[in-house]
Amino acid sequence: MHKGLERVSYLLGTWRGEGKGRYPTIDDFAYGEEVKFWHDGRPLLFYAQRTWNLETDGPMHSETGFWRPQRDGSIEIVLAHTFGCVEIQEGTVEGNRIGTKSKGVVSTSSAKDVVALARHYSVDGDTLSYELEMQFDDNELQNHLSGTLTRQS
Amino acid sequence: MHKGLERVSYLLGTWRGEGKGRYPTIDDFAYGEEVKFWHDGRPLLFYAQRTWNLETDGPMHSETGFWRPQRDGSIEIVLAHTFGCVEIQEGTVEGNRIGTKSKGVVSTSSAKDVVALARHYSVDGDTLSYELEMQFDDNELQNHLSGTLTRQS
C-alpha cells in the first residue's frame, strides 16, 4: 500500500448495511447499501457505492469516484452520481473521522440542481457510519441521508 | 435491458487496446487501456476506464462514472478522474457515433485546472475508437488523446 493511503486505510474493504433518507420535499425512505473502497498502489482510493430498495431489491442510487488523501492531512473526493451530478468534496481526515464539504457541484441538463453537499464519515472497527447533508433548491444545507454499514471483507 | 439503453447497447462489454497522447505542454506518450461498460437494468451505463504504462504496466489514469442516454437522442456523461477532476459531458448519439462536449468541469484544489473537454466515440463491430480534446490553461481546445480498443467480452 502507498504510504499516502495509510491514514485512511481503515476505509478499505466492502461494507454493507442500511440507511435512511429525509428531506423537506420528499417522504422519508430507507434503503440497503453497499460501499467498496479499494486501491491499485497509487495514493488514492477507488470508491463505488450502490443502494437498493429494501422491499424489491431494485437499484436506487449509485455513486462512484476517487478519494484523494493529501499530505497536509486534508482529503479531496471526486464523485459522479447516477442521477446526473458530479461533485468535488474537500475537507479533513482526523483519525477515524472524515468530514468534507463540496467545493463544486455540477448537474446535467436533465437532472435536479443540487447546490451543495457535505459528507461526514467515521469508522469504528468494522462499523462505518455516515451522514450526508444536501442543499437543494431553496432549502438550506441539512441532513439528507444517514447510514451504518458493516465491513464484509 | 432497459429499452432506453438499446440505442447505445453496442458499448456494453470490456474493451482493451492502446492509445496515444499529445499536448503542447508535454511530450507525446502511449498507454495501454481497458474500458468497461455495464448496466443493472436502469437506463444508464456504468463506466470504468483505466490506463497503464506500456513498459512498466504501472497504473496511469483512471476515470469512472455513468453514461445517461436521453429519450430525445442526446446523451449525458458524468465522470470523476483520478487526477482530481469531475466533468459533465453532453452531446448526441448518432447511430454508432457519440459526440459530447463538457457542460462543466471542476477540479480539486490540488489538481490542474482543465477548462473544457470534448469526447468522440465510434464503434464498428468489436472495435471502439475515440478522440478526446482538452482545453487546458491558455491552450485552445485540441486533440489530446486517441485510442483504439477491441471488445474482449
Side-chain angles (χ1 to χ4, degrees):
Chain A
M1 188 191 309
H2 194 287
K3 194 176 175 183
L5 272 191
E6 289 174 1
R7 205 157 39 87
V8 294
S9 61
Y10 52 75
L11 289 170
L12 287 166
T14 298
W15 305 78
R16 278 195 169 221
E18 294 185 7
K20 290 182 178 177
R22 64 205 66 82
Y23 212 69
T25 54
I26 53 172
D27 291 334
D28 290 0
F29 61 100
Y31 52 87
E33 183 170 23
E34 183 183 76
V35 167
K36 293 183 181 182
F37 287 99
W38 70 101
H39 74 96
D40 68 358
R42 284 178 287 179
L44 55 90
L45 293 172
F46 288 64
Y47 167 81
Q49 180 259 24
R50 66 187 181 92
T51 66
W52 57 87
N53 184 305
L54 287 168
E55 292 177 7
T56 67
D57 285 338
M60 290 173 64
H61 178 72
S62 300
E63 59 193 38
T64 183
F66 307 99
W67 293 43
R68 296 160 40 90
Q70 303 297 301
R71 290 178 187 173
D72 63 0
S74 66
I75 190 166
E76 303 173 345
I77 308 174
V78 293
L79 294 180
H81 295 251
T82 41
F83 71 85
C85 162
V86 293
E87 56 165 319
I88 285 188
Q89 292 276 324
E90 297 188 350
T92 55
V93 180
E94 294 181 356
N96 66 338
R97 303 179 72 86
I98 296 173
T100 60
K101 290 185 179 177
S102 53
K103 179 198 175 196
V105 183
V106 189
S107 299
T108 63
S109 298
S110 76
K112 292 175 181 176
D113 259 326
V114 175
V115 180
L117 295 162
R119 292 170 177 266
H120 310 275
Y121 295 83
S122 68
V123 173
D124 182 7
D126 287 333
T127 302
L128 185 157
S129 306
Y130 72 87
E131 303 271 342
L132 183 142
E133 297 172 89
M134 180 171 70
Q135 180 182 353
F136 169 67
D137 211 1
D138 292 335
N139 305 281
E140 291 183 2
L141 185 70
Q142 60 191 280
N143 181 267
H144 173 44
L145 304 173
S146 54
T148 304
L149 310 176
T150 303
R151 198 192 315 258
Q152 308 294 302
S153 62
Chain B
M1 187 191 308
H2 194 288
K3 194 177 175 183
L5 273 190
E6 289 174 1
R7 207 157 38 87
V8 294
S9 62
Y10 52 76
L11 290 170
L12 287 166
T14 298
W15 306 78
R16 279 196 167 219
E18 294 185 7
K20 290 183 178 177
R22 64 206 65 81
Y23 211 69
T25 55
I26 53 173
D27 290 334
D28 292 0
F29 61 101
Y31 52 87
E33 181 170 24
E34 183 182 77
V35 167
K36 292 182 181 182
F37 287 99
W38 70 100
H39 74 96
D40 68 359
R42 285 179 286 179
L44 56 90
L45 292 172
F46 289 64
Y47 167 81
Q49 180 260 23
R50 65 188 182 91
T51 66
W52 58 87
N53 184 306
L54 287 168
E55 292 176 9
T56 67
D57 285 340
M60 291 175 62
H61 177 73
S62 300
E63 58 193 39
T64 181
F66 307 100
W67 293 43
R68 296 161 38 91
Q70 304 295 302
R71 291 179 186 171
D72 63 0
S74 66
I75 190 165
E76 303 173 346
I77 308 174
V78 293
L79 294 180
H81 296 251
T82 42
F83 71 84
C85 162
V86 293
E87 56 165 319
I88 286 188
Q89 291 278 323
E90 297 189 349
T92 54
V93 179
E94 294 181 356
N96 65 339
R97 302 180 74 85
I98 297 174
T100 60
K101 289 186 180 175
S102 53
K103 179 199 175 194
V105 183
V106 189
S107 299
T108 63
S109 298
S110 76
K112 291 175 180 174
D113 259 326
V114 175
V115 180
L117 296 162
R119 292 170 177 266
H120 309 276
Y121 294 82
S122 67
V123 173
D124 181 8
D126 288 332
T127 301
L128 185 156
S129 305
Y130 73 86
E131 303 271 343
L132 183 141
E133 295 171 272
M134 180 170 72
Q135 181 182 353
F136 170 67
D137 210 1
D138 292 334
N139 304 284
E140 292 184 0
L141 185 70
Q142 59 192 280
N143 180 267
H144 172 44
L145 305 173
S146 54
T148 303
L149 311 176
T150 303
R151 196 190 318 258
Q152 307 294 303
S153 61

